[in-house]
Amino acid sequence: MISEWQNHKAQLRSYVSKRINDSHAVDDILQDVYIKASSNLHQLKSKGSLKGWLYRIAHNTIMDFYRQQKPYEELPEDLVAEDNDSGSLARKELAECLRPLIDELPEKYGTPLRLAELEGYSQQSIAEQLGLSLSGAKSRVQRSRVKFREQMMACCDFEVGQEGITDYSPKKTSSSTKC
């Protein structure tokens, strides 16, 4: 095994060093490859496949090396999260803007949508409050969302980018459409 290892050691070193920047880690990985190959030599099917087998062991050892690395620094213990939830305020403001449009929906669609989206009830509790089965409540909420979307599309023009909706403007509608 040692003579075969010497034949492939330089090539394996080159292979590993192209994938690992730390020269000390390259030596450690080569040592691990040799140990794994030596202890699992009985698994080698034929001597002709030794080179490929060593490269597979080297590849797996490199992957193990990267899995063990910490890609981040630990945060200090005394770090405190800021209590700045501007998203919550924005959601409340948006809910107040959307409430009149939801109120324009027929009651059988407006109520489940209001409970699910504005008040945050689960679909199970919506089913219990409205006397529906769970699947009935789920269907009602989904149909409500579709009807609400249709109403929104009839009332507003939306500009959509990679981040989602980036801008909107009210449409000029006929007097028959409530917006």
Side-chain angles (χ1 to χ4, degrees):
M1 172 70 186
I2 293 176
S3 66
E4 290 295 325
W5 174 255
Q6 293 301 329
N7 293 338
H8 300 293
K9 185 177 178 183
Q11 292 173 334
L12 284 170
R13 177 180 296 285
S14 174
Y15 175 79
V16 173
S17 65
K18 287 179 183 175
R19 286 153 182 80
I20 306 286
N21 290 330
D22 183 5
S23 63
H24 298 293
V26 170
D27 291 335
D28 291 343
I29 289 172
L30 281 175
Q31 183 178 5
D32 288 345
V33 170
Y34 180 74
I35 291 169
K36 289 176 184 179
S38 296
S39 62
N40 294 309
L41 192 58
H42 64 279
Q43 294 178 349
L44 182 63
K45 295 185 173 57
S46 71
K47 191 173 181 179
S49 63
L50 177 68
K51 185 176 181 179
W53 185 65
L54 288 173
Y55 275 93
R56 176 53 48 198
I57 293 172
H59 171 78
N60 291 342
T61 307
I62 291 168
M63 293 302 108
D64 292 341
F65 170 78
Y66 280 119
R67 281 188 201 106
Q68 293 171 356
Q69 300 299 308
K70 289 187 178 182
Y72 56 90
E73 292 181 22
E74 292 289 330
L75 294 176
E77 293 290 328
D78 60 340
L79 184 66
V80 178
E82 292 182 26
D83 193 25
N84 185 5
D85 190 10
S86 61
S88 176
L89 179 61
R91 285 189 295 277
K92 286 179 182 177
E93 289 175 2
L94 180 61
E96 292 308 312
C97 292
L98 296 178
R99 192 174 300 275
L101 288 174
I102 292 174
D103 290 341
E104 292 295 323
L105 292 172
E107 184 178 346
K108 82 179 216 174
Y109 296 118
T111 302
L113 187 62
R114 190 176 317 99
L115 290 172
E117 301 300 337
L118 300 182
E119 297 176 24
Y121 285 97
S122 69
Q123 292 183 354
Q124 179 65 47
S125 62
I126 293 170
E128 292 168 2
Q129 286 184 25
L130 300 178
L132 301 169
S133 66
L134 177 59
S135 63
K138 288 180 179 184
S139 295
R140 188 74 56 90
V141 169
Q142 289 302 316
R143 278 186 253 133
S144 300
R145 289 175 179 158
V146 169
K147 296 224 178 266
F148 181 70
R149 183 175 190 270
E150 290 170 355
Q151 185 175 358
M152 292 284 296
M153 297 307 284
C155 293
C156 299
D157 285 320
F158 295 96
E159 185 175 317
V160 180
Q162 288 182 333
E163 304 86 33
I165 296 174
T166 58
D167 195 16
Y168 72 95
S169 60
K171 286 184 179 177
K172 295 179 181 173
T173 59
S174 63
S175 59
S176 63
T177 307
K178 289 186 174 184
C179 292

